[in-house]
Every structure is written in C-alpha cells, then in structure tokens.
Amino acid sequence: MMSDDEIREWLTTEDAEKVEELHRNARMAAESVYGERVFARGLIEISSYCRNNCHYCGLRRDNRNAERYRISHETIWKACDDGYELGLRSFVLQGGEDMWFTDERLAEIVKGIKERHPDVAVTLSVGERPAESYRLWREAGADRYLLRHEAADPLLYSQLHPKEMSYDNRLRCLVDLQRLGYQTGCGFMVGAPRCTIEGYIKDIRLIEKLRPAMVGIGPFIPAAGTPFDKCKAGSADMTLRLLSVIRMTNPHLLLPATTALDTILEDGMERGVMAGANVIMPNITPLTERGKYSIYDNKRITGNDAAETLDVTRQRLEVIGRKLTLSRGDYE
C-alpha cells in the first residue's frame, strides 16, 4: 500500500523519468493479471434527459441548449443484437437520471437483452436510485453498475452538485450496489474546479476502502450551459498519473481509458492503456442520437458504425502491442 507521501510524490514530481517509471510499473501490474488484453464494452447512451442539475454536466436539467432524446426498448435491443453479431459480450447502458426509465422499464430492457443473449454482461449507469430499484434490475439480469463517487471530500462534492444531492446518499448507493452483488464501479473527474492533490489522495483511499471492480476517471472538460463552462479543462498528464497510481493500488481493477481522455489527447486511448488502463468503451449508440449525448464540449465522436468503430479501435491497440478482447471481461 502506497503512503500518502508516495502518492503525493508521484503526482507532483517534475522528473520525466520518474513519471515514465510510474507508467511502466502500472503497465506491468496490469499485464501481471490481464496480459495484453484490453476489454471492450459496447456503450449505448440511452437518454440525454436528466433530473439533476450538476454544475459540470452538459445534460443538467436547466441547460436549455442540450438536445434531449431517449432510445426505445427495441432500439436498445437492436444495438445489442448488432454488437453481439460482431462478437461483443459486454454492453453498458448509460444515461442521465431520466425517470421516464422507470424501474420496471429498465428491468424489462435488461431482461430482454439477457433473454436474447444469456452469455453477455449488462452494465447499467443511470445514477442514484433506491436500493429496491437496484435489486429489481439485479434480479432482471444486470451484472454491473457504474456510479462515479465524483469526490471523496464531502465539501468538494457539495461544490460540484446541487443542494438536493448529497455525498452520503452517493456512498449509500455504492454500498447498496455491492451488497446486491453487482460488480461495481466508482470514479471521479480529474481537474474539476477546486480539485487538489490532497483531494485525489482522499479519492484513492476511498477507492481502496470500497474495493470496486472498476474505476472510471477522466479529465474534466467544461460544457456550455453549465456554471463551469468557462473553467479550465483538467490535465491529461495528471489523469495519466492517476490512472497509473490507481492501477498500482490494485492490479486486478478494470480501468477504462475514457472518451474524455481521448477527446483532449489525439492518442488518449493509447496513452491511457500505456498508463495501466485495460478497458475501452466503443460507442455503439445509434448514429442518429450519438452526437446529442453532450456531457461536455467537443466530445470525440465518430460517424463510424459499430463494426468500423471496433476495427479502428483494434488497429489502434495493435500498434501499441495490445489485443482488443470482446469477451465479458469480468474482474479477475
């Protein structure tokens, strides 16, 4: 276990050789468990409606410039069918906290995917709900749930979110999910307003305490129509350092190279993998809706269909000696 001082040194050193040593150690840690495999999760962004008013998110309730859409059951099932034919065995349904997707509707969607393809892993990422909702979806067949904790410092959490949202409730959700048997993912933004090195250390300690299967971090990118729209974007360098430190705390973690990182760096996916990441989430949302899920500005979006997206991703990974793997990619 790294001490706070060791983490602080890795995150602040100006010695380029030390930084490369950190990334090299993280790569070796990932390889010790997963070898050259990088797991793909087919990402379907099911809704851009959200009941919340988070200060950083382009989908926030009061953003009048946001394009709103939601995808039907049949369209979600079709996207999974198409992805399955291409070999994908893991799907992520992500959206704002859109209460049109009631507990029963989401359960029906999950059940429909599992009936068609019993061997796939279904991940939900639709925000905070009561434990009973999570139980219903788990019984319908959901395997995993992603819910970033956003900030391990309650004060910082309150500065990123509206008053009706609370740090305690976010942690309650994560604990409920783990108790119900989900493979659970948490995470945070890098470089959001008022983030500090000491805050990142708190994040790492919370991750160690929660012992999630997955951790998602990416750089903060400002979104038009939000209170933070004029703020500076987070640092790619700090994001890569934190990826490596988090990998070093647990070589078994499923750690994505996020779209946000690939947005601020032309080779963000490759750099993330070389810093210890081992998951990517190719976007298989229908092309008619893909550009509307604007959680931040200038999001990297391609006009490729699912097959083309996977081919391009495979080629990019091969250049750095990694193998795109379409299996379920469970926590090992």
Side-chain angles (χ1 to χ4, degrees):
M1 179 176 174
M2 285 192 227
S3 69
D4 288 2
D5 285 341
E6 287 174 314
I7 295 173
R8 198 175 289 112
E9 173 63 20
W10 285 123
L11 297 184
T12 59
T13 182
E14 297 182 4
D15 185 335
E17 291 185 4
K18 288 286 291 182
V19 176
E20 181 48 43
E21 177 188 353
L22 171 65
H23 296 329
R24 183 170 59 252
N25 290 343
R27 286 197 300 275
M28 292 172 60
E31 290 169 4
S32 71
V33 179
Y34 296 104
E36 297 177 351
R37 293 174 295 167
V38 175
F39 299 108
R41 278 78 160 100
L43 176 64
I44 306 169
E45 295 162 333
I46 64 174
S47 174
S48 66
Y49 286 91
C50 189
R51 62 177 174 173
N52 292 329
N53 226 11
C54 301
H55 302 325
Y56 53 84
C57 184
L59 303 187
R60 69 194 310 262
R61 183 184 67 235
D62 288 352
N63 187 356
R64 298 183 182 277
N65 296 322
E67 290 190 77
R68 306 296 183 180
Y69 74 92
R70 60 175 63 97
I71 298 177
S72 69
H73 297 39
E74 292 75 16
T75 303
I76 294 169
W77 291 331
K78 176 66 163 54
C80 290
D81 290 344
D82 293 344
Y84 191 89
E85 287 188 12
L86 295 171
L88 282 168
R89 296 297 181 266
S90 180
F91 299 99
V92 179
L93 309 187
Q94 182 181 71
E97 292 193 19
D98 179 359
M99 302 313 290
W100 183 89
F101 283 101
T102 62
D103 295 353
E104 293 74 22
R105 280 175 172 155
L106 273 170
E108 182 183 355
I109 290 168
V110 171
K111 187 176 180 181
I113 296 171
K114 286 291 195 170
E115 287 175 346
R116 288 165 170 76
H117 311 296
D119 56 331
V120 305
V122 175
T123 303
L124 296 177
S125 181
V126 293
E128 297 181 2
R129 296 284 185 108
E132 182 59 23
S133 304
Y134 296 148
R135 183 193 63 76
L136 184 65
W137 301 336
R138 183 81 178 108
E139 291 175 352
D143 303 278
R144 303 168 182 156
Y145 202 99
L146 306 180
L147 182 66
R148 286 186 175 184
H149 65 269
E150 300 292 7
D153 180 341
L155 177 59
L156 177 56
Y157 186 92
S158 70
Q159 294 171 333
L160 297 175
H161 298 89
K163 291 181 180 179
E164 61 266 24
M165 296 180 71
S166 75
Y167 172 80
D168 288 343
N169 192 57
R170 182 60 61 104
L171 288 190
R172 187 273 305 167
C173 290
L174 286 165
V175 171
D176 286 344
L177 289 162
Q178 289 186 317
R179 286 175 177 167
L180 288 164
Y182 284 91
Q183 294 178 45
T184 305
C186 62
F188 58 94
M189 290 180 298
V190 179
R194 304 181 184 90
C195 281
T196 64
I197 296 296
E198 299 310 308
Y200 297 142
I201 293 173
K202 290 180 180 179
D203 287 318
I204 291 165
R205 295 304 180 217
L206 177 61
I207 291 166
E208 290 176 331
K209 180 180 178 181
L210 290 173
R211 302 182 68 184
M214 185 171 178
V215 175
I217 71 167
F220 162 75
I221 302 175
T226 72
F228 293 163
D229 60 358
K230 298 295 189 294
C231 293
K232 182 180 178 182
S235 159
D237 173 65
M238 182 59 70
T239 303
L240 293 168
R241 292 186 192 211
L242 283 161
L243 276 171
S244 292
V245 169
I246 291 168
R247 169 62 68 197
M248 295 293 292
T249 66
N250 182 355
H252 298 265
L253 280 171
L254 295 162
L255 195 60
T258 63
T259 302
L261 181 60
D262 210 36
T263 294
I264 66 171
L265 287 177
E266 186 66 28
D267 59 347
M269 180 182 72
E270 294 90 335
R271 295 273 297 277
V273 170
M274 297 304 281
N278 67 334
V279 172
I280 52 94
M281 294 187 182
N283 196 327
I284 62 170
T285 306
L287 292 172
T288 54
E289 314 296 352
R290 194 177 298 177
K292 300 176 186 177
Y293 194 79
S294 185
I295 55 178
Y296 50 79
D297 289 353
N298 303 313
K299 182 180 176 183
R300 184 166 182 167
I301 300 168
T302 72
N304 297 335
D305 62 22
E308 293 168 330
T309 297
L310 289 175
D311 284 343
V312 169
T313 302
R314 185 177 291 108
Q315 293 166 16
R316 289 176 66 181
L317 290 172
E318 286 176 354
V319 171
I320 59 171
R322 290 294 182 268
K323 180 180 178 181
L324 182 66
T325 304
L326 305 185
S327 66
R328 285 173 54 102
D330 289 303
Y331 181 87
E332 296 180 9

